[in-house]
Amino acid sequence: MPIVPGAAIRSQPASFGPREKKIAMIADTDLGRLTAADTMRSPAMAEGGMVTAAAKIEVARTIAEVERLRPFWVAQPTNRDGDLDYCMTVVQSGPGVVRPHVITVNRGGQPPAMLIGRLETKALGIRFGYLRLPNPRLRVLTFIDGGVLQGLSAQDSDAVMDSILASLRAGEADVAVMEHLDAAHPLLQRARTSPPALCIDRFPISYTHYARRLGGGDAVLATLSANERSNQRRREKRLRQDFAEVRIDCFHDASDLDRLFNDAEAIARTSYQRGLQVGFADTAQMRRRLAFEAGKGTLRAHILYLDNQPCAFWIASLYRAVLANDFMAFDPAYGKYAPGMYLALNVLEEVRRDPAAGPDPSVDFGVGGGEWKVRLANRQHQACWVAVFAPTAKGIVVNMARTAAAFGDSSIRTVLRRTNLLPRIKRLWRRQLAG
C-alpha cells in the first residue's frame, strides 16, 4: 500500500485584564512571588518565592518568566505536550488561554522539580454519558499530560499542592485540573486529601493509557494476532475490489496544509466526535498549532482517499521517537471498510521505517478506551484526571453539580457494564451523533 508524501516562537508578555491586574499586584512580577495567602500556609517567605520545609516554590506566570527556565526545561525528558516551545505555542494561540502557570520546587542545590500548567477560561465539561450538561465558563488552572518534570516526590507534592491551593484562595482560578497523573502518584493523593472537604473531587476520572512499541525487525502486522492480520488482509482485498484507487497521503511539512485542513474538516464534520464537540476542527488556533508542528518537522498527518474522496484521517506528532496521537476520525459512510484501522496499521508501518523515529520508536495512543487502541496496544498504565475546586461559592457549587452528574453516570454505567449493554449503547449513541 503506497503512502504518497503530501520557526521558533516569539515570546511576548502576557496581557492582563482587570482581574489579572489584581492578581499581578498580589504576585510580584519577579519569578513567581506568591500571594499573601501563601504566608498563612508557609513558615517563611524568601526573595522570589515561597519557602516550605526547605523548599523554595516559584510560579512563572508570563512567557518571559518561563523563558528563564529554558536551560533546565529543555534538558528534561518529556512528551510532546511537555515541550517548552509547544507549550508556549498553546499559550499564545489556544482558545481561552490567559497565561502560563508553571510551578517549580527548588531544594538547595538540587535540580528543581516542575509542574507545567496554564490558566485558561473554559467550561469544565460536565457530562452525563455523551450528553453535555449546561455548565458555566470557569477560570481553570490546567496542569498538562507530560507536565511533571524531574519527578515530584511526596515532599515536593505537598509543596506543589500548597501552591495550587494558595492560587485558588487568592482568586486566580475557580478550579485546578491535573489532566494526567499516574494512579500511584503522590500528587494525586494530595489532591484527594489536602483541600477542604467541599473542594475535593469525589469522582476523579480513571482511565487506561495505551501505547505500543514499534521497534524490532518485524513488520507491525506480523506482531499482531492471527485474527487481526486476517482482518487487515480482508480490508485490503475489499477496498481493492470496490475502489479503483486506494491511497494514503501524508502531510509532514507546511507545503500542503490547506489541503490537509480542507479534507480533514470534510471528514470530521461527519464524525460522532463533532457531535460531542471534541476532536479536530478547522479553526485559526488549530491552523497555528499544526503549522508550528510542521515547521518543527514533527507533524505526521495522514488521510486515506478512496477514489479521490477523503474518508479517514489520523493526525499525530513524532516527538523524540514517540508518535503522539492527536486526532482520528472517519466518514461513517465508509464504516463497513473499517477505514480508521486500515489507515492506522499503514501509518504505524511507515513510522517504524521512518529514520526520524530512530531504532526503537513507539506510539502513544493517549487517553480513552477506543477499540482500535485496545487492539493495537502492547503497553498500558492507569492514569487519572482529578480536579481541586476553589473554596468559593462558585467553586463549591460547580463541584456539587459535577459530583451529582458523575454519580448518576457512574451508576448507570455500572448497570450497563454488568448486563454487557455498554458497548452496544456506545455504538448506537455514536451513530446518532454522526447523524
Side-chain angles (χ1 to χ4, degrees):
M1 172 66 222
I3 296 183
V4 183
I9 65 169
R10 181 177 302 165
S11 299
Q12 297 182 2
S15 59
F16 296 107
R19 184 183 179 98
E20 282 298 313
K21 289 178 180 177
K22 179 180 177 183
I23 298 302
M25 291 173 63
I26 299 174
D28 191 13
T29 55
D30 212 317
L31 211 171
R33 289 193 192 128
L34 296 182
T35 67
D38 295 325
T39 62
M40 294 187 287
R41 290 289 297 256
S42 308
M45 289 291 292
E47 182 69 18
M50 177 174 68
V51 175
T52 303
K56 183 179 180 182
I57 313 301
E58 296 179 324
V59 182
R61 291 180 171 87
T62 68
I63 291 177
E65 291 171 354
V66 169
E67 282 295 331
R68 301 180 200 173
L69 301 171
R70 181 177 287 274
F72 165 75
W73 190 329
V74 298
Q76 305 309 308
T78 185
N79 63 16
R80 188 278 313 275
D81 291 352
D83 176 80
L84 190 155
D85 290 331
Y86 181 84
C87 286
M88 294 305 100
T89 297
V90 172
V91 166
Q92 291 180 311
S93 65
V97 178
V98 178
R99 59 166 173 80
H101 193 97
V102 180
I103 303 172
T104 58
V105 183
N106 298 275
R107 295 187 182 277
Q110 299 178 4
M114 182 185 294
L115 185 65
I116 304 167
R118 60 182 178 262
L119 176 65
E120 53 191 335
T121 303
K122 63 180 183 179
L124 198 57
I126 300 175
R127 295 179 181 275
F128 188 85
Y130 284 139
L131 180 64
R132 183 188 294 267
L133 301 179
N135 55 101
R137 293 184 67 80
L138 304 172
R139 293 169 61 84
V140 183
L141 283 176
T142 302
F143 297 99
I144 62 173
D145 179 16
V148 178
L149 299 189
Q150 196 67 14
L152 284 175
S153 66
Q155 193 175 21
D156 292 338
S157 296
D158 285 335
V160 166
M161 186 52 60
D162 280 349
S163 174
I164 293 171
L165 291 173
S167 292
L168 293 175
R169 285 197 304 273
E172 290 188 60
D174 303 305
V175 60
V177 170
M178 282 141 279
E179 290 187 330
H180 188 94
L181 286 177
D182 188 89
H185 199 286
L187 187 58
L188 175 59
Q189 313 310 316
R190 301 304 182 272
R192 303 200 65 183
T193 57
S194 297
L198 292 177
C199 302
I200 293 175
D201 184 354
R202 302 297 175 180
F203 283 89
I205 302 171
S206 298
Y207 53 84
T208 303
H209 193 121
Y210 293 97
R212 181 179 184 86
R213 286 191 61 189
L214 299 175
D218 293 331
V220 173
L221 190 61
T223 66
L224 300 179
S225 68
N227 183 59
E228 193 56 57
R229 294 197 301 273
S230 174
N231 287 340
Q232 184 70 350
R233 286 192 292 268
R234 193 178 301 114
R235 293 178 198 118
E236 176 94 33
K237 181 178 179 180
R238 196 172 185 183
L239 287 170
R240 296 295 179 189
Q241 287 175 341
D242 291 356
F243 299 95
E245 181 190 41
V246 179
R247 80 174 194 272
I248 296 173
D249 287 2
C250 60
F251 303 81
H252 293 182
D253 55 42
S255 62
D256 206 9
L257 286 183
D258 281 341
R259 183 163 68 92
L260 167 63
F261 278 98
N262 292 337
D263 290 353
E265 176 61 25
I267 297 165
R269 70 168 65 104
T270 70
S271 69
Y272 78 88
Q273 290 98 327
R274 181 59 56 88
L276 290 173
Q277 300 178 35
V278 298
F280 175 87
D282 184 3
T283 64
Q285 293 84 5
M286 185 69 72
R287 283 180 174 261
R288 284 195 290 269
R289 169 180 162 181
L290 295 191
F292 166 79
E293 294 201 47
K296 297 274 284 188
T298 59
L299 179 65
R300 295 295 184 272
H302 297 79
I303 296 181
L304 170 65
Y305 294 87
L306 301 177
D307 286 348
N308 211 37
Q309 295 299 309
C311 68
F313 68 80
W314 188 8
I315 299 174
S317 176
L318 184 62
Y319 181 83
R320 295 185 178 181
V322 177
L323 185 73
N325 168 49
D326 284 319
F327 309 106
M328 175 179 274
F330 66 90
D331 185 335
Y334 298 92
K336 67 179 182 180
Y337 300 101
M341 180 64 79
Y342 178 80
L343 174 62
L345 284 169
N346 279 280
V347 171
L348 292 182
E349 186 58 35
E350 181 203 319
V351 171
R352 190 182 69 85
R353 300 192 305 264
D354 189 338
D360 191 24
S362 62
V363 55
D364 180 353
F365 294 115
V367 302
E371 184 181 349
W372 71 283
K373 299 178 184 180
V374 176
R375 289 159 65 182
L376 293 180
N378 58 15
R379 289 187 294 165
Q380 63 185 57
H381 71 271
Q382 296 302 120
C384 194
W385 181 105
V386 64
V388 176
F389 294 85
T392 62
K394 185 176 183 179
I396 291 170
V397 168
V398 171
N399 189 19
M400 293 173 65
R402 181 177 176 275
T403 299
F407 176 78
D409 181 76
S410 175
S411 299
I412 291 177
R413 283 176 182 270
T414 299
V415 172
L416 293 176
R417 201 173 283 116
R418 288 175 178 172
T419 56
N420 294 320
L421 290 174
L422 186 58
R424 186 179 303 175
I425 295 296
K426 280 186 174 182
R427 285 193 295 270
L428 290 174
W429 206 327
R430 288 178 178 181
R431 286 175 191 156
Q432 183 176 357
L433 288 169

PDB file of all heavy atoms in Angstrom, residues 208 210-212 224 228 341 365 368-380:
ATOM      1  N   THR A 208      -7.401   4.059  31.276  1.00  0.00           N
ATOM      2  CA  THR A 208      -6.215   3.330  30.844  1.00  0.00           C
ATOM      3  C   THR A 208      -5.542   4.090  29.714  1.00  0.00           C
ATOM      4  O   THR A 208      -6.202   4.505  28.757  1.00  0.00           O
ATOM      5  CB  THR A 208      -6.578   1.915  30.378  1.00  0.00           C
ATOM      6  OG1 THR A 208      -7.255   1.234  31.436  1.00  0.00           O
ATOM      7  CG2 THR A 208      -5.336   1.127  29.998  1.00  0.00           C
ATOM      8  N   TYR A 210      -2.997   3.879  26.680  1.00  0.00           N
ATOM      9  CA  TYR A 210      -2.492   2.816  25.812  1.00  0.00           C
ATOM     10  C   TYR A 210      -1.296   3.288  24.979  1.00  0.00           C
ATOM     11  O   TYR A 210      -1.234   4.441  24.546  1.00  0.00           O
ATOM     12  CB  TYR A 210      -3.598   2.338  24.876  1.00  0.00           C
ATOM     13  CG  TYR A 210      -4.728   1.635  25.584  1.00  0.00           C
ATOM     14  CD1 TYR A 210      -5.895   2.319  25.924  1.00  0.00           C
ATOM     15  CD2 TYR A 210      -4.623   0.290  25.926  1.00  0.00           C
ATOM     16  CE1 TYR A 210      -6.938   1.677  26.581  1.00  0.00           C
ATOM     17  CE2 TYR A 210      -5.660  -0.359  26.585  1.00  0.00           C
ATOM     18  CZ  TYR A 210      -6.811   0.338  26.912  1.00  0.00           C
ATOM     19  OH  TYR A 210      -7.824  -0.301  27.569  1.00  0.00           O
ATOM     20  N   ALA A 211      -0.357   2.387  24.757  1.00  0.00           N
ATOM     21  CA  ALA A 211       0.834   2.691  23.951  1.00  0.00           C
ATOM     22  C   ALA A 211       1.296   1.409  23.259  1.00  0.00           C
ATOM     23  O   ALA A 211       0.816   0.308  23.556  1.00  0.00           O
ATOM     24  CB  ALA A 211       1.944   3.262  24.827  1.00  0.00           C
ATOM     25  N   ARG A 212       2.237   1.586  22.341  1.00  0.00           N
ATOM     26  CA  ARG A 212       2.782   0.416  21.647  1.00  0.00           C
ATOM     27  C   ARG A 212       4.225   0.682  21.243  1.00  0.00           C
ATOM     28  O   ARG A 212       4.549   1.745  20.711  1.00  0.00           O
ATOM     29  CB  ARG A 212       1.964   0.095  20.388  1.00  0.00           C
ATOM     30  CG  ARG A 212       2.485  -1.134  19.650  1.00  0.00           C
ATOM     31  CD  ARG A 212       1.678  -1.481  18.420  1.00  0.00           C
ATOM     32  NE  ARG A 212       2.197  -2.718  17.837  1.00  0.00           N
ATOM     33  CZ  ARG A 212       1.830  -3.937  18.215  1.00  0.00           C
ATOM     34  NH1 ARG A 212       0.907  -4.089  19.159  1.00  0.00           N
ATOM     35  NH2 ARG A 212       2.358  -5.015  17.659  1.00  0.00           N
ATOM     36  N   LEU A 224       0.873  -8.693  15.285  1.00  0.00           N
ATOM     37  CA  LEU A 224      -0.491  -8.714  15.784  1.00  0.00           C
ATOM     38  C   LEU A 224      -1.032 -10.137  15.801  1.00  0.00           C
ATOM     39  O   LEU A 224      -0.402 -11.076  15.298  1.00  0.00           O
ATOM     40  CB  LEU A 224      -1.382  -7.827  14.916  1.00  0.00           C
ATOM     41  CG  LEU A 224      -0.982  -6.343  14.841  1.00  0.00           C
ATOM     42  CD1 LEU A 224      -1.938  -5.596  13.913  1.00  0.00           C
ATOM     43  CD2 LEU A 224      -0.971  -5.696  16.218  1.00  0.00           C
ATOM     44  N   GLU A 228      -6.282 -10.402  13.758  1.00  0.00           N
ATOM     45  CA  GLU A 228      -6.115  -9.028  13.276  1.00  0.00           C
ATOM     46  C   GLU A 228      -5.390  -9.010  11.931  1.00  0.00           C
ATOM     47  O   GLU A 228      -5.701  -8.192  11.047  1.00  0.00           O
ATOM     48  CB  GLU A 228      -5.361  -8.197  14.310  1.00  0.00           C
ATOM     49  CG  GLU A 228      -5.414  -6.696  14.046  1.00  0.00           C
ATOM     50  CD  GLU A 228      -6.845  -6.175  13.952  1.00  0.00           C
ATOM     51  OE1 GLU A 228      -7.617  -6.366  14.906  1.00  0.00           O
ATOM     52  OE2 GLU A 228      -7.194  -5.598  12.898  1.00  0.00           O
ATOM     53  N   MET A 341      -8.932   1.751  11.103  1.00  0.00           N
ATOM     54  CA  MET A 341      -7.968   0.710  11.449  1.00  0.00           C
ATOM     55  C   MET A 341      -7.034   0.429  10.273  1.00  0.00           C
ATOM     56  O   MET A 341      -5.823   0.230  10.464  1.00  0.00           O
ATOM     57  CB  MET A 341      -8.698  -0.567  11.858  1.00  0.00           C
ATOM     58  CG  MET A 341      -7.771  -1.711  12.241  1.00  0.00           C
ATOM     59  SD  MET A 341      -6.775  -1.373  13.716  1.00  0.00           S
ATOM     60  CE  MET A 341      -7.980  -1.692  15.001  1.00  0.00           C
ATOM     61  N   PHE A 365      -1.018   6.246  22.179  1.00  0.00           N
ATOM     62  CA  PHE A 365      -2.392   6.388  21.708  1.00  0.00           C
ATOM     63  C   PHE A 365      -3.194   7.380  22.535  1.00  0.00           C
ATOM     64  O   PHE A 365      -4.297   7.770  22.154  1.00  0.00           O
ATOM     65  CB  PHE A 365      -3.098   5.027  21.708  1.00  0.00           C
ATOM     66  CG  PHE A 365      -2.532   4.053  20.724  1.00  0.00           C
ATOM     67  CD1 PHE A 365      -1.906   2.894  21.150  1.00  0.00           C
ATOM     68  CD2 PHE A 365      -2.617   4.287  19.362  1.00  0.00           C
ATOM     69  CE1 PHE A 365      -1.388   1.984  20.246  1.00  0.00           C
ATOM     70  CE2 PHE A 365      -2.104   3.390  18.440  1.00  0.00           C
ATOM     71  CZ  PHE A 365      -1.483   2.236  18.890  1.00  0.00           C
ATOM     72  N   GLY A 368      -8.426   7.459  26.813  1.00  0.00           N
ATOM     73  CA  GLY A 368      -9.637   6.904  26.235  1.00  0.00           C
ATOM     74  C   GLY A 368      -9.463   5.455  25.834  1.00  0.00           C
ATOM     75  O   GLY A 368      -8.362   5.002  25.537  1.00  0.00           O
ATOM     76  N   GLY A 369     -10.580   4.743  25.826  1.00  0.00           N
ATOM     77  CA  GLY A 369     -10.532   3.315  25.566  1.00  0.00           C
ATOM     78  C   GLY A 369     -11.102   2.928  24.223  1.00  0.00           C
ATOM     79  O   GLY A 369     -11.869   1.964  24.127  1.00  0.00           O
ATOM     80  N   GLY A 370     -10.760   3.666  23.175  1.00  0.00           N
ATOM     81  CA  GLY A 370     -11.238   3.300  21.850  1.00  0.00           C
ATOM     82  C   GLY A 370     -10.840   1.879  21.493  1.00  0.00           C
ATOM     83  O   GLY A 370      -9.742   1.424  21.821  1.00  0.00           O
ATOM     84  N   GLU A 371     -11.720   1.187  20.786  1.00  0.00           N
ATOM     85  CA  GLU A 371     -11.474  -0.225  20.470  1.00  0.00           C
ATOM     86  C   GLU A 371     -10.186  -0.397  19.678  1.00  0.00           C
ATOM     87  O   GLU A 371      -9.428  -1.350  19.884  1.00  0.00           O
ATOM     88  CB  GLU A 371     -12.660  -0.789  19.690  1.00  0.00           C
ATOM     89  CG  GLU A 371     -12.554  -2.271  19.383  1.00  0.00           C
ATOM     90  CD  GLU A 371     -13.745  -2.790  18.593  1.00  0.00           C
ATOM     91  OE1 GLU A 371     -14.737  -2.048  18.474  1.00  0.00           O
ATOM     92  OE2 GLU A 371     -13.663  -3.929  18.104  1.00  0.00           O
ATOM     93  N   TRP A 372      -9.902   0.542  18.764  1.00  0.00           N
ATOM     94  CA  TRP A 372      -8.697   0.420  17.938  1.00  0.00           C
ATOM     95  C   TRP A 372      -7.439   0.529  18.789  1.00  0.00           C
ATOM     96  O   TRP A 372      -6.441  -0.138  18.510  1.00  0.00           O
ATOM     97  CB  TRP A 372      -8.719   1.472  16.832  1.00  0.00           C
ATOM     98  CG  TRP A 372      -8.516   2.894  17.279  1.00  0.00           C
ATOM     99  CD1 TRP A 372      -9.429   3.694  17.883  1.00  0.00           C
ATOM    100  CD2 TRP A 372      -7.326   3.665  17.145  1.00  0.00           C
ATOM    101  NE1 TRP A 372      -8.892   4.929  18.150  1.00  0.00           N
ATOM    102  CE2 TRP A 372      -7.601   4.939  17.696  1.00  0.00           C
ATOM    103  CE3 TRP A 372      -6.066   3.419  16.608  1.00  0.00           C
ATOM    104  CZ2 TRP A 372      -6.649   5.962  17.733  1.00  0.00           C
ATOM    105  CZ3 TRP A 372      -5.123   4.437  16.646  1.00  0.00           C
ATOM    106  CH2 TRP A 372      -5.423   5.687  17.196  1.00  0.00           C
ATOM    107  N   LYS A 373      -7.478   1.344  19.843  1.00  0.00           N
ATOM    108  CA  LYS A 373      -6.324   1.471  20.737  1.00  0.00           C
ATOM    109  C   LYS A 373      -6.084   0.166  21.498  1.00  0.00           C
ATOM    110  O   LYS A 373      -4.943  -0.296  21.629  1.00  0.00           O
ATOM    111  CB  LYS A 373      -6.542   2.608  21.733  1.00  0.00           C
ATOM    112  CG  LYS A 373      -6.731   3.977  21.103  1.00  0.00           C
ATOM    113  CD  LYS A 373      -6.980   5.030  22.177  1.00  0.00           C
ATOM    114  CE  LYS A 373      -7.260   6.389  21.571  1.00  0.00           C
ATOM    115  NZ  LYS A 373      -7.513   7.417  22.606  1.00  0.00           N
ATOM    116  N   VAL A 374      -7.156  -0.413  22.003  1.00  0.00           N
ATOM    117  CA  VAL A 374      -7.040  -1.662  22.761  1.00  0.00           C
ATOM    118  C   VAL A 374      -6.447  -2.758  21.882  1.00  0.00           C
ATOM    119  O   VAL A 374      -5.587  -3.536  22.319  1.00  0.00           O
ATOM    120  CB  VAL A 374      -8.419  -2.087  23.307  1.00  0.00           C
ATOM    121  CG1 VAL A 374      -8.326  -3.436  24.008  1.00  0.00           C
ATOM    122  CG2 VAL A 374      -8.974  -1.027  24.256  1.00  0.00           C
ATOM    123  N   ARG A 375      -6.866  -2.820  20.630  1.00  0.00           N
ATOM    124  CA  ARG A 375      -6.413  -3.883  19.734  1.00  0.00           C
ATOM    125  C   ARG A 375      -4.967  -3.704  19.284  1.00  0.00           C
ATOM    126  O   ARG A 375      -4.271  -4.686  19.004  1.00  0.00           O
ATOM    127  CB  ARG A 375      -7.343  -3.961  18.533  1.00  0.00           C
ATOM    128  CG  ARG A 375      -8.729  -4.511  18.889  1.00  0.00           C
ATOM    129  CD  ARG A 375      -9.789  -4.142  17.879  1.00  0.00           C
ATOM    130  NE  ARG A 375      -9.557  -4.737  16.566  1.00  0.00           N
ATOM    131  CZ  ARG A 375     -10.343  -4.527  15.518  1.00  0.00           C
ATOM    132  NH1 ARG A 375     -11.388  -3.718  15.631  1.00  0.00           N
ATOM    133  NH2 ARG A 375     -10.088  -5.109  14.362  1.00  0.00           N
ATOM    134  N   LEU A 376      -4.505  -2.462  19.200  1.00  0.00           N
ATOM    135  CA  LEU A 376      -3.159  -2.217  18.700  1.00  0.00           C
ATOM    136  C   LEU A 376      -2.118  -2.053  19.806  1.00  0.00           C
ATOM    137  O   LEU A 376      -0.918  -2.159  19.534  1.00  0.00           O
ATOM    138  CB  LEU A 376      -3.150  -0.959  17.816  1.00  0.00           C
ATOM    139  CG  LEU A 376      -3.915  -1.056  16.500  1.00  0.00           C
ATOM    140  CD1 LEU A 376      -3.819   0.255  15.737  1.00  0.00           C
ATOM    141  CD2 LEU A 376      -3.395  -2.211  15.646  1.00  0.00           C
ATOM    142  N   ALA A 377      -2.534  -1.787  21.018  1.00  0.00           N
ATOM    143  CA  ALA A 377      -1.575  -1.504  22.096  1.00  0.00           C
ATOM    144  C   ALA A 377      -0.902  -2.771  22.600  1.00  0.00           C
ATOM    145  O   ALA A 377      -1.494  -3.855  22.584  1.00  0.00           O
ATOM    146  CB  ALA A 377      -2.279  -0.800  23.245  1.00  0.00           C
ATOM    147  N   ASN A 378       0.361  -2.639  23.026  1.00  0.00           N
ATOM    148  CA  ASN A 378       1.011  -3.731  23.759  1.00  0.00           C
ATOM    149  C   ASN A 378       1.605  -3.248  25.085  1.00  0.00           C
ATOM    150  O   ASN A 378       2.345  -3.965  25.727  1.00  0.00           O
ATOM    151  CB  ASN A 378       2.080  -4.418  22.891  1.00  0.00           C
ATOM    152  CG  ASN A 378       3.150  -3.448  22.396  1.00  0.00           C
ATOM    153  OD1 ASN A 378       3.286  -2.327  22.890  1.00  0.00           O
ATOM    154  ND2 ASN A 378       3.925  -3.882  21.415  1.00  0.00           N
ATOM    155  N   ARG A 379       1.257  -2.006  25.451  1.00  0.00           N
ATOM    156  CA  ARG A 379       1.625  -1.471  26.767  1.00  0.00           C
ATOM    157  C   ARG A 379       0.472  -0.627  27.281  1.00  0.00           C
ATOM    158  O   ARG A 379      -0.258  -0.019  26.493  1.00  0.00           O
ATOM    159  CB  ARG A 379       2.887  -0.591  26.681  1.00  0.00           C
ATOM    160  CG  ARG A 379       4.172  -1.357  26.413  1.00  0.00           C
ATOM    161  CD  ARG A 379       5.371  -0.418  26.528  1.00  0.00           C
ATOM    162  NE  ARG A 379       5.357   0.590  25.479  1.00  0.00           N
ATOM    163  CZ  ARG A 379       6.096   1.690  25.489  1.00  0.00           C
ATOM    164  NH1 ARG A 379       6.889   1.940  26.526  1.00  0.00           N
ATOM    165  NH2 ARG A 379       6.048   2.553  24.493  1.00  0.00           N
ATOM    166  N   GLN A 380       0.337  -0.564  28.575  1.00  0.00           N
ATOM    167  CA  GLN A 380      -0.714   0.264  29.154  1.00  0.00           C
ATOM    168  C   GLN A 380      -0.397   0.579  30.608  1.00  0.00           C
ATOM    169  O   GLN A 380       0.356  -0.144  31.263  1.00  0.00           O
ATOM    170  CB  GLN A 380      -2.078  -0.425  29.065  1.00  0.00           C
ATOM    171  CG  GLN A 380      -2.183  -1.728  29.844  1.00  0.00           C
ATOM    172  CD  GLN A 380      -3.517  -2.419  29.622  1.00  0.00           C
ATOM    173  OE1 GLN A 380      -3.890  -2.725  28.494  1.00  0.00           O
ATOM    174  NE2 GLN A 380      -4.237  -2.670  30.704  1.00  0.00           N
TER     175      GLN A 380
END
